[in-house]
Amino acid sequence: MAASMASQAAARGLRSATSKHVLLDKLKSTWLSPRRWLNLQEYQSKKLMQDSGVTVQRFFVADTASEALEAAKRLNAREIVLKAQILAGGRGKGVFDSGLKGGVHLTKDPTVVGELAKKMLGFNLATKQTPKEGVKVKTVMVAEALDISRETYFAILMDRSCNGPVMVGSPQGGVDIEEVAAKTPELIFKETIDIFQGVQDEQALRMAANLGFKGPLQRQAADQIKRLYDLFLKVDATQVEVNPFGETPEGQVVCFDAKINFDDNAEFRQKAVFAMDDMSESDPTEMHAAKWDLKYIGLDGNIACFVNGAGLAMATCDIIDLHGGKPANFLDLGGGVKERQVYEAFKLLTADPKVEAILVNIFGGIVNCAIIANGITKACRELELKVPLVVRLEGTNVHEAKKILSESGLPITAADDLDDAAKKAVAAIRK
């Protein structure tokens, strides 16, 4: 959701840090979001920040309309904001199947909160980022609404070019930071953080000044910046992005909205954080794939792609498209493959009624092609595969693997290379 944005390299860096891969223009720019990446609701991110001493709005979470009403009364705020909690963006302009418009509402009357919550909880909210039918809202956040006199942008993220974390900020917040980087790169500021020393006082103060905080607010903003870095380290984050990082008319620096990305390799020592993962909105197929350490993304074509490595998956999808076909999915085996994973992968692929052919494209480096071949033959027999299967294997134990496939007696079409495999898969569905 990463490097200096004071140059074109910076803009590219931020884009790579704040976005997942875009599969291909020809595939309608499908955004890839592997299930294994941790997803937190807004209130969960705010709670993590609050626990680290970062200033956020006062808030409560409610699962029923009566709880929402009680929370609004307890806040005793001049104005209240009620937010539906789903993982998709665009909530403010979304529509509920209850007829209510908008997943974010402001009010000064606590009793209105209860009435609005009745039309949110248990109903589906459809936004530009949800499926057409929307996502069921099970929780709402009732928060104190604060006026914002000025909005800035601040983020801490891992930067490969610096071999560690960097701070990135801009006095122009509340907007798309990539547009700021493209149109006014002089308003993007970067500070490299020494991983051993952490954020130094002079760095935090300099960044606060660059963001436009003045007088006592500069020190207050610097303190918040240091606390955000503490949170970054504490939860093994790869990014903490605050937009807007704002100030109120009363002279308070507040993190109004935040996005936290986590290093999934740190799950073993971040049990409490990963236990908060909200799986209710995840695709069931992706969830099942994750159980077998497979990465699966459904697409809208009819040729299933079974590969190892994200780069190879995208290349496979691209060349299928080049030959006039459409990929039905993106399925990445990764490394350390076992026969059972291959079998489970085939179960996932064949369960999709859109699939009319399967293309297996494996480059065996750390992957043993013989294991793949044994898994394929087992799956074909036990699942009674009824769609054409094209297999291209290269790498470790490839000769043994090809022998296993050729002697299996199964209707498997061998391919010499990726181009040949794509041609044969596309031809198979046209017969």
Side-chain angles (χ1 to χ4, degrees):
M1 269 126 299
S4 169
M5 292 179 294
S7 65
Q8 289 300 315
R12 287 196 302 270
L14 182 66
R15 191 173 298 114
S16 66
T18 56
S19 304
K20 307 294 189 292
H21 280 296
V22 178
L23 184 49
L24 300 161
D25 289 338
K26 293 178 181 178
L27 293 176
K28 302 179 182 179
S29 299
T30 302
W31 291 89
L32 300 184
S33 304
R35 172 63 194 85
R36 71 192 184 101
W37 289 351
L38 176 61
N39 292 311
L40 293 187
Q41 299 284 5
E42 178 187 5
Y43 76 89
Q44 294 172 314
S45 294
K46 274 188 162 60
K47 180 65 167 60
L48 288 176
M49 296 171 72
Q50 190 178 63
D51 291 346
S52 291
V54 176
T55 302
V56 298
Q57 299 150 282
R58 292 186 296 123
F59 71 92
F60 294 104
V61 177
D63 299 324
T64 66
S66 59
E67 287 180 5
L69 174 60
E70 182 60 29
K73 292 178 179 178
R74 287 171 61 195
L75 277 175
N76 192 29
R78 182 171 53 85
E79 191 169 23
I80 301 161
V81 59
L82 178 67
K83 291 186 174 185
Q85 296 297 285
I86 63 171
L87 296 173
R91 290 173 295 172
K93 295 181 180 180
V95 178
F96 286 89
D97 57 5
S98 65
L100 180 67
K101 294 183 179 180
V104 179
H105 287 266
L106 285 166
T107 180
K108 295 182 178 180
D109 184 355
T111 60
V112 172
V113 172
E115 293 303 312
L116 288 170
K118 284 181 183 178
K119 298 176 182 179
M120 289 185 177
L121 291 164
F123 293 97
N124 282 18
L125 173 60
T127 78
K128 60 183 180 181
Q129 292 186 12
T130 66
K132 186 177 180 180
E133 67 275 13
V135 173
K136 182 174 288 188
V137 174
K138 300 178 181 178
T139 305
V140 294
M141 183 176 75
V142 186
E144 176 184 26
L146 298 175
D147 292 329
I148 307 176
S149 57
R150 199 174 64 85
E151 297 180 327
T152 75
Y153 172 92
F154 178 75
I156 302 171
L157 41 87
M158 297 303 291
D159 180 0
R160 183 170 295 177
S161 67
C162 295
N163 294 317
V166 296
M167 294 187 289
V168 178
S170 174
Q172 289 194 5
V175 295
D176 186 344
I177 194 61
E178 290 184 22
E179 288 186 19
V180 177
K183 295 178 181 178
T184 53
E186 69 277 7
L187 295 180
I188 301 294
F189 299 92
K190 171 189 169 184
E191 290 277 348
T192 302
I193 302 170
D194 186 310
I195 194 68
F196 297 106
Q197 296 182 7
V199 177
Q200 301 299 293
D201 286 342
E202 60 269 22
Q203 284 185 299
L205 287 167
R206 185 163 56 243
M207 177 60 76
N210 286 333
L211 296 183
F213 292 103
K214 302 182 185 301
L217 287 177
Q218 183 181 354
R219 171 57 68 178
Q220 192 181 145
D223 178 65
Q224 290 296 297
I225 286 170
K226 295 188 74 172
R227 290 174 186 267
L228 285 166
Y229 181 66
D230 289 341
L231 170 65
F232 180 85
L233 293 181
K234 179 181 176 182
V235 299
D236 285 304
T238 55
Q239 172 185 279
V240 174
E241 183 183 45
V242 183
N243 191 19
F245 183 53
E247 61 181 72
T248 69
E250 294 76 28
Q252 188 177 26
V253 178
V254 179
C255 296
F256 285 95
D257 201 357
K259 179 179 180 180
I260 306 176
N261 290 349
F262 301 86
D263 183 353
D264 57 294
N265 293 309
E267 181 176 0
F268 73 97
R269 65 183 184 195
Q270 296 292 345
K271 299 293 187 185
V273 172
F274 278 77
M276 295 190 290
D277 196 358
D278 190 336
M279 300 181 185
S280 62
E281 297 176 33
S282 299
D283 182 277
T285 304
E286 292 179 25
M287 289 176 64
H288 181 75
K291 290 179 182 178
W292 296 98
D293 201 23
L294 303 168
K295 292 183 282 295
Y296 177 94
I297 304 296
L299 301 175
D300 56 3
N302 55 4
I303 299 177
C305 302
F306 179 44
V307 303
N308 64 312
L312 193 60
M314 288 190 283
T316 304
C317 290
D318 196 18
I319 203 160
I320 287 174
D321 189 73
L322 180 67
H323 288 295
K326 292 292 179 184
N329 68 279
F330 168 111
L331 192 150
D332 178 10
L333 269 175
V337 181
K338 303 217 171 16
E339 284 185 29
R340 182 60 189 268
Q341 284 177 289
V342 177
Y343 177 80
E344 292 296 330
F346 266 79
K347 281 180 66 176
L348 286 171
L349 298 178
T350 54
D352 184 348
K354 300 193 307 294
V355 170
E356 296 177 20
I358 298 174
L359 193 164
V360 176
N361 182 25
I362 300 294
F363 186 84
I366 58 174
V367 172
N368 187 329
C369 289
I371 292 177
I372 299 293
N374 283 323
I376 289 173
T377 55
K378 175 182 171 66
C380 287
R381 291 191 177 101
E382 295 189 13
L383 298 175
E384 298 181 350
L385 189 67
K386 293 181 173 60
V387 297
L389 172 62
V390 179
V391 178
R392 180 254 182 168
L393 300 174
E394 287 295 342
T396 305
N397 276 349
V398 68
H399 297 299
E400 181 184 348
K402 289 182 177 180
K403 183 179 179 183
I404 291 170
L405 295 179
S406 64
E407 294 179 354
S408 67
L410 295 166
I412 299 172
T413 302
D416 297 325
D417 53 38
L418 177 53
D419 188 64
D420 183 43
K423 286 179 182 177
K424 288 177 175 177
V426 172
I429 62 172
R430 289 176 176 170
K431 288 181 179 179

